[in-house]
Amino acid sequence: MPPHPLTLITGSTQGIGRAVAEILARKHAHHVLLGVRNVQVGEAIASELRQDGHKASVVELDLTSAQSIEKAITTIDRHYGYLDVLVNNAGISSDHDESLNKWDIYTSTFTTNVIGTGVLTEGLVPLLRKAKCSPPRVVFVSSIMGSLQTSLDKTTAWYSIDYKVYDASKAAVNMLAINFSRVLDDVGGKVNAVCPGYINTRLTSFDERGESPEVGATRIVQLATAGEDGQTGTFTNRQGVLPW
C-alpha cells in the first residue's frame, strides 16, 4: 500500500488552512502536518483527526522566525526524510492596523507572507525532491489583489481600497510560485498559486459576505492532490485562470 501523502499546511489552526487540513486528511487520506505557532491548539485539532482514524501531526512553525523555520525543516527531515505536498497558506494583512507604523506594516506583512514563506519553501525543496507520492506539489495561497494586470482595472470592487502592502506581498508570492515551479520542474513538480476568493476568516474580519473556509479550500485541495498530469506554473481560482 502506498504511503499517505505527507502534507505540510502552514497557518492551519483556523480558517482556510484548517479547512484544507481537514479535507486532505478526511477525504484524501493525507498525513497532514499542521504547521502552527500555537502547538496546543494544533495538537487539539490533530488529536481529533487521529481519533477519527486519520493521520495528523503537529510541527511548530513561526514564519517570522528564521530559527523556527529551520527547526521545522529539521523536524520533518528527521522524522520523515521527505515531503510530498506543501501548502503555503499562512498570511496576514496589516495595512489598516493602527497600532503599527508604516515601517512595521511593511515589514510584518512581507516577513510572514513573502520572506518566511520563501525561506520555508527553499528549505523544503530537498525533501520535496524525495517525495514518495509523486509528483511533489506546492500550493501558494495568493490573491487576485496581487494581480498586476487586475490592479489597473478601475472596475474592480477593490480598486479604490488601499491595501497596497498586502497587494504587493501577494504579487511577490505569485513570483515565488513561478520560480519554484521552475526549480522543481526537473522532478515533475506541480507548483501553483491560488486565489481562494473572498472568505469569511480572520483576514477579512469574519465578514459575513465571505464564503466559508471550506469553499475557499476547494481549489487548493484540487492542486494539492494533482497527479502527474496536473498543472504547474499557474495562477487560478475556482472559476479558472487568473491574470498574473
Side-chain angles (χ1 to χ4, degrees):
M1 178 180 293
H4 296 264
L6 186 65
T7 303
L8 174 65
I9 306 109
T10 66
S12 47
T13 58
Q14 61 181 323
I16 295 172
R18 179 170 180 175
V20 169
E22 295 264 3
I23 294 168
L24 288 176
R26 295 182 184 279
K27 296 185 177 181
H28 298 276
H30 281 222
H31 179 173
V32 294
L33 303 179
L34 306 177
V36 301
R37 288 183 297 176
N38 190 322
V39 174
Q40 185 175 0
V41 173
E43 186 53 46
I45 297 169
S47 178
E48 182 179 332
L49 286 169
R50 291 194 297 267
Q51 288 174 10
D52 291 341
H54 308 292
K55 296 183 72 65
S57 305
V58 173
V59 176
E60 186 174 6
L61 175 61
D62 180 354
L63 290 178
T64 68
S65 166
Q67 291 76 19
S68 177
I69 293 171
E70 183 176 354
K71 182 179 178 181
I73 294 168
T74 300
T75 297
I76 297 170
D77 188 17
R78 184 174 66 249
H79 285 284
Y80 308 102
Y82 72 99
L83 185 67
D84 294 306
V85 183
L86 169 61
V87 178
N88 284 313
N89 165 75
I92 65 170
S93 174
S94 302
D95 287 71
H96 299 288
D97 187 339
E98 295 181 355
S99 70
L100 300 177
N101 60 37
K102 291 298 182 182
W103 180 270
D104 289 339
I105 288 172
Y106 275 88
T107 54
S108 64
T109 302
F110 271 78
T111 297
T112 297
N113 295 4
V114 184
I115 299 171
T117 295
V119 170
L120 175 68
T121 307
E122 193 87 49
L124 289 172
V125 164
L127 298 182
L128 287 162
R129 287 181 170 277
K130 298 177 183 178
K132 293 185 178 181
C133 295
S134 61
R137 285 143 282 172
V138 182
V139 182
F140 287 86
V141 178
S142 184
S143 170
I144 186 61
M145 294 172 73
S147 165
L148 299 182
Q149 182 176 330
T150 305
S151 68
L152 297 171
D153 183 354
K154 295 182 180 180
T155 67
T156 61
W158 58 88
Y159 178 80
S160 61
I161 303 175
D162 188 12
Y163 279 95
K164 66 173 72 71
V165 185
Y166 178 77
D167 296 355
S169 75
K170 289 304 183 179
V173 165
N174 286 350
M175 186 56 73
L176 287 177
I178 291 171
N179 275 276
F180 281 108
S181 70
R182 170 183 53 80
V183 168
L184 288 169
D185 187 58
D186 64 320
V187 291
K190 309 302 178 186
V191 183
N192 298 280
V194 173
C195 174
Y198 192 70
I199 307 300
N200 184 341
T201 65
R202 188 171 68 177
L203 190 71
T204 61
S205 301
F206 300 103
D207 191 334
E208 293 183 356
R209 294 172 297 177
E211 297 184 272
S212 72
E214 290 72 24
V215 170
T218 302
R219 183 59 179 158
I220 299 167
V221 169
Q222 288 174 348
L223 291 170
T225 56
E228 297 286 354
D229 59 348
Q231 297 175 307
T232 190
T234 70
F235 181 29
T236 60
N237 62 10
R238 296 188 304 279
Q239 287 72 42
V241 176
L242 296 173
W244 292 103

